[in-house]
Amino acid sequence: MIVMKFGGTSVESAAAIERVAGIVRARADRKPLVVVSAMGKTTNRLLAAADKAAAGNLEGALRDAEELRAFHQREAGAVCGPERMAVLEPALARHFGELEETLETVAKEGQVTPALWDETASYGERLSSLVVTSAFGALGLEAAHLDAREVLITDSRHTQALPLYSRTYARFQEKAAPLLERGVAVMGGFIGSTPQGVTTTLGRGGSDFSASIAGAGIGAEEIQIWTDVDGMLSCDPRVAEGGHLVKVISFAEAAELAYFGAKVLHPSTVLPAVEKNIPVRILNSRRPDVEGTRIVAEAVPSRINPVKSIACKRGITIVNIRSLRMLMAHGFLRRIFEVFDRYRTPVDMVSTSEVSVSLTVDRTDQMSEIEAELSRIAEVSVLRGQAIICLVGDAIRETPGVSARVFASLRDVNVRMISQGASLLNLSFVVDEDDLVRAVKSLHAEFFSQLDPEVFA
Ligand code: ASP
Ligand code: MG
């Protein structure tokens, strides 16, 4: 058994769903459990409708729902054919009827409570999973529909629910495994329900998490995340061309890269897979023959390439905090971090000396308040327009000379902050945004002129 997850763009239209059916058919003998996101931008549109209803514009909200109905009917009609449509139509009608009721409730309450947010957002995956199941059937790939809310049992933290693992896994064994014995099954990602049957969601982008939970639940041999990129590259394609496909990377390395918006999974989404030692593979639904990136429990050590990937992030702000009171004192760092905490601003990189601390943030909406508060206890300076560059590789820690090579490649770049050690498998530093492209190109040339065929395609 395998899990195959397809995101919103992969199921955004009749043509896209047909392509998905082809990909699944080619792997049908591996008994796939297919997990789908909402079609295209449906989740955003549902939530926008809820906002309208809450703001007193129920009419506008219902019009949005009507447009979504037309969209689903049109795309489903184009791929399902009249016979399947005759069965699907009443189901679609029922869902849109319920959606209207939900929007009316939102309007009545005058706000989108977390429970109503989940309820509204859930229609996207409820609909897409039904449409995809019918479409598969029409395309000669008989599939069973699995209601995610009957298997993915969560706590009641609406908009951010977490699975109750042992119950969820028991449900997958009871309900999904028998379906897969007979063939393909399809379920919606992102959604679940409490033990009392109240609809919940796992948070935006939660379908990857669903796929990982489902994989762990059925004891899949592999979890495939189908996206629109080939997999993880040795450098960010938005910054520099010519990156090489990383064929295999460890969970820990992938987690380090996740922060940088590299097209990988959020680290917490792969946790259930890690715990059961199930590999996760990133694949491209537009180029299904590319082998993609496999994320596995243990790193594949490479003598040739201690660095597996260079990630980066623009729009970083450095905060430099300096105080003589810090000298041999305790409690100072705590006071600094409390300020960031009070303003709910995550701190990413930190480096300290005896009398100063530098740290980076990427959210600056509360920066003037933070600066004012810190100024009461220290000298503060804020430097905007920075970028973090992060080299990731399990072997960085034990390969002598990596930092010499890094800083030689950056010989004419002003490096503002450096950090190595926290995770042992990353070396990060901060440069001016203006220097980013030049710095990344030169590092990439330095570390990827030779490629280990075990690791890179
Ligand atoms: N449809 C949900 C969202 O847009 C979940 C997902 O696609 O992963 O956030
Ligand atoms: Mg996604």
Side-chain angles (χ1 to χ4, degrees), residues 222 225-227 229-233 244-249 280-285 287-295 454-457:
E222 182 171 276
I225 306 290
W226 289 83
T227 63
V229 294
D230 285 347
M232 296 175 44
L233 300 179
H244 309 286
L245 179 68
V246 186
K247 289 195 295 187
V248 55
I249 196 160
V280 175
R281 191 190 283 269
I282 317 231
L283 292 151
N284 188 346
S285 51
R287 306 207 309 152
D289 296 329
V290 175
E291 69 170 302
T293 299
R294 219 153 54 92
I295 307 176
E454 297 288 310
V455 178
F456 295 95

Side-chain angles (χ1 to χ4, degrees), residues 43-54:
T43 310
N44 287 343
R45 296 172 66 190
L46 286 164
L47 292 169
D51 285 340
K52 279 188 197 167

Side-chain angles (χ1 to χ4, degrees), residues 5 7-8 37-38 43-44 125 189-190 203-208:
K5 182 262 171 176
S37 287
T43 310
N44 287 343
E125 273 72 7
F190 178 54
R204 289 309 304 267
S207 295
D208 294 338

Side-chain angles (χ1 to χ4, degrees), residues 114-118 155-161 194 198-201:
L116 284 168
W117 192 97
D118 279 353
D155 61 20
S156 53
R157 289 201 304 172
H158 284 289
T159 74
Q160 229 23 279
T194 66
V198 180
T199 299
T200 52
T201 69

Side-chain angles (χ1 to χ4, degrees), residues 163-203:
L164 303 174
Y165 282 102
S166 53
R167 288 190 205 212
T168 295
Y169 291 166
R171 292 284 184 95
F172 270 100
Q173 284 303 327
E174 179 197 331
K175 297 195 185 264
L179 292 182
L180 293 169
E181 282 314 317
R182 276 174 264 141
V184 180
V186 179
M187 69 174 247
F190 178 54
I191 61 178
S193 79
T194 66
Q196 290 74 36
V198 180
T199 299
T200 52
T201 69
L202 305 175

Side-chain angles (χ1 to χ4, degrees), residues 47-69:
L47 292 169
D51 285 340
K52 279 188 197 167
N57 180 7
L58 179 59
E59 228 172 87
L62 294 177
R63 245 193 330 267
D64 289 354
E66 199 43 51
E67 270 173 33
L68 279 173
R69 181 209 295 262

